């Protein structure tokens, strides 16, 4: 477009060129931001899903999820433990994660390989346990005879009969447990020590003579009440319960029990009270002598 020259001016008119630039797509209306936003939303969704999983699962379930993505012990998927899914083929709220349809059971079951089923006596067959049924039946009869013999000797002794209320016989899945229990009026050991009272020593010696002829191994566990010591670094209930269990072992050994029959000697302090509502109750102080069932081997 040319403009007319001013009057009286012989200069040629100036030419002004106007260019219009059209940008396709609208510039700021491009799609790159949409990709970034989609990534952000996906990351937030994964984050909230993680928070939900942490709040809705137990420690065992979280460990199962972690082991699925980074196995630490065994390849559960290839061995058929826990099913094919992340949670063993069950829901997050399932009680256990071992074996197909294991959530229906209140107690965790042994995993069954994928596409396999157990027999009519699954898990209870004669060759599926280290415990020999025949030996177990014999042990139970022997335990009953031992219980009767100890009770008979206690009642026939003037000094030991006073301890009749302090001895208890408790059948357990491990064997026959003989509890020697304190109360407010009598303690098997001198207060706060591992020194056996003379009558308690006689009682343990009598028990040793009664069980000396049996083949069963022995476990001894010491228990205390929750009364603390002034300086727990010098003495505490862990040391006391362990020391009393060892004192009981030594007295049984003096009574004729060979060293090879002692399988476990342990102290659990006040962690397993009899009187749960009152951990300081003196009846929580006790020593448990357990005659264990004899063990076999697979296939016996």
């Amino acid at each position: 477009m040319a403009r007319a020259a001013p009057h009286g001016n012989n200069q040629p008119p100036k030419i002004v060129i106007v260019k219009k630039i059209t940008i396709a797509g609208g510039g700021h209306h491009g799609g790159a931001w949409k990709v970034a936003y989609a990534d952000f939303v996906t990351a937030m969704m994964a984050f909230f899903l993680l928070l939900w999983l942490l709040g809705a699962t137990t420690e065992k379930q979280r460990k199962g999820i972690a082991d699925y993505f980074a196995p630490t012990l065994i390849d559960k998927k290839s061995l058929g433990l826990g099913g094919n899914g992340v949670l063993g083929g069950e829901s997050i709220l399932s009680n256990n994660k071992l074996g197909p349809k294991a959530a229906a059971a209140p107690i965790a079951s042994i995993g069954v390989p994928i596409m396999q089923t157990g027999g009519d006596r699954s898990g209870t067959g004669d060759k599926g346990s280290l415990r020999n049924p025949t030996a177990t039946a014999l042990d139970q009869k022997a335990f009953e005879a031992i219980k009767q013999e100890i009770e008979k000797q206690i009642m026939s002794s003037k000094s030991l009969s006073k301890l009749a209320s302090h001895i208890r016989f408790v059948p357990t899945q491990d064997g026959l447990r003989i509890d020697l229990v304190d109360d407010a009026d009598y303690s098997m050991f001198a207060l706060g020590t591992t020194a056996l009272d003379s009558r308690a020593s006689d009682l343990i010696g009598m028990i040793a003579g009664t069980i000396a002829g049996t083949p069963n191994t022995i476990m001894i566990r010491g228990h205390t009440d929750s009364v603390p010591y002034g300086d727990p670094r010098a003495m505490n209930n862990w040391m006391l319960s362990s020391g009393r269990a060892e004192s009981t072992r030594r007295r049984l050994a003096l009574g004729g029990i060979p060293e090879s029959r002692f399988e476990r000697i342990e102290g659990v302090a006040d962690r397993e009270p009899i009187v749960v509502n009152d951990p300081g109750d003196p009846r929580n102080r006790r020593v448990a002598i357990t005659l264990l069932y004899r063990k076999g081997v697979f296939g016996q």
Side-chain angles (χ1 to χ4, degrees):
M1 181 178 67
R3 295 178 58 188
H7 181 70
N9 193 338
N10 294 324
Q11 293 181 358
K14 295 180 179 180
I15 300 175
V16 179
I17 299 174
V18 178
K19 294 183 179 181
K20 293 184 178 180
I21 300 175
T22 303
I23 301 176
H28 63 280
H29 294 292
W33 69 274
K34 297 178 182 178
V35 176
Y37 180 73
D39 291 342
F40 172 74
V41 172
T42 302
M44 291 300 294
M45 181 179 67
F47 175 70
F48 285 115
L49 178 61
L50 174 63
L51 293 180
W52 175 74
L53 284 173
L54 292 176
T57 57
T58 64
E59 182 65 28
K60 285 187 176 180
Q61 291 170 337
R62 289 193 290 272
K63 187 178 185 302
I65 296 174
D67 287 343
Y68 177 82
F69 291 103
T72 56
L73 296 178
I74 59 175
D75 185 352
K76 296 182 179 179
K77 183 176 180 180
S78 64
L79 295 180
L81 294 179
N84 287 325
V86 176
L87 298 177
E90 303 292 344
S91 69
I92 285 179
L93 301 180
S94 172
N95 289 329
N96 77 69
K97 290 291 165 291
L98 293 180
K101 303 300 181 183
I107 301 176
S109 59
I110 298 177
V112 180
I114 300 173
M115 304 302 293
Q116 299 293 327
T117 57
D120 295 336
R121 301 181 63 194
S122 177
T124 60
D126 294 336
K127 296 185 179 182
S129 173
L130 282 174
R131 185 171 295 169
N132 188 316
T134 303
T136 298
L138 293 175
D139 284 342
Q140 290 174 344
K141 291 182 179 180
F143 292 161
E144 182 61 28
I146 288 171
K147 175 179 177 293
Q148 294 177 1
E149 179 62 24
I150 292 176
E151 289 176 338
K152 179 182 177 181
Q153 292 193 44
I154 288 176
M155 298 312 297
S156 63
S157 172
K158 183 178 293 185
S159 61
L160 294 182
S161 62
K162 297 178 181 179
L163 301 182
S165 61
H166 294 270
I167 184 169
R168 302 175 183 177
F169 299 90
V170 183
T172 70
Q173 64 179 2
D174 296 320
L176 177 64
R177 193 180 77 221
I178 305 172
D179 288 338
L180 307 180
V181 186
D182 289 358
D183 60 20
D185 300 322
Y186 178 75
S187 176
M188 297 283 175
F189 295 85
L191 186 63
T193 73
T194 61
L196 274 167
D197 177 75
S198 59
R199 285 185 295 172
S201 178
D202 293 340
L203 176 61
I204 296 174
M206 183 269 290
I207 293 174
T210 305
I211 65 176
T214 63
N216 307 84
T217 55
I218 299 170
M219 176 179 69
I220 304 174
R221 176 176 288 180
H223 302 262
T224 68
D225 54 29
S226 63
V227 178
Y229 280 82
D231 185 0
R233 295 171 298 179
M235 187 65 174
N236 55 58
N237 284 326
W238 291 105
M239 298 167 64
L240 182 63
S241 60
S242 301
R244 289 181 171 180
E246 170 58 17
S247 293
T248 303
R249 186 204 65 80
R250 289 200 301 268
R251 184 62 185 89
L252 288 173
L254 288 174
I257 305 299
E259 177 65 28
S260 59
R261 287 187 59 189
F262 296 108
E263 183 164 314
R264 290 201 301 275
I265 311 296
E266 57 190 13
V268 295
D270 59 345
R271 296 303 191 266
E272 299 177 6
I274 291 179
V275 186
V276 178
N277 295 331
D278 186 6
D281 193 295
R283 289 173 292 179
N284 291 322
R285 301 194 303 262
R286 65 197 188 279
V287 174
I289 303 170
T290 302
L291 287 173
L292 302 171
Y293 286 117
R294 284 175 288 175
K295 295 179 181 178
V297 296
F298 284 115
Q300 283 189 344

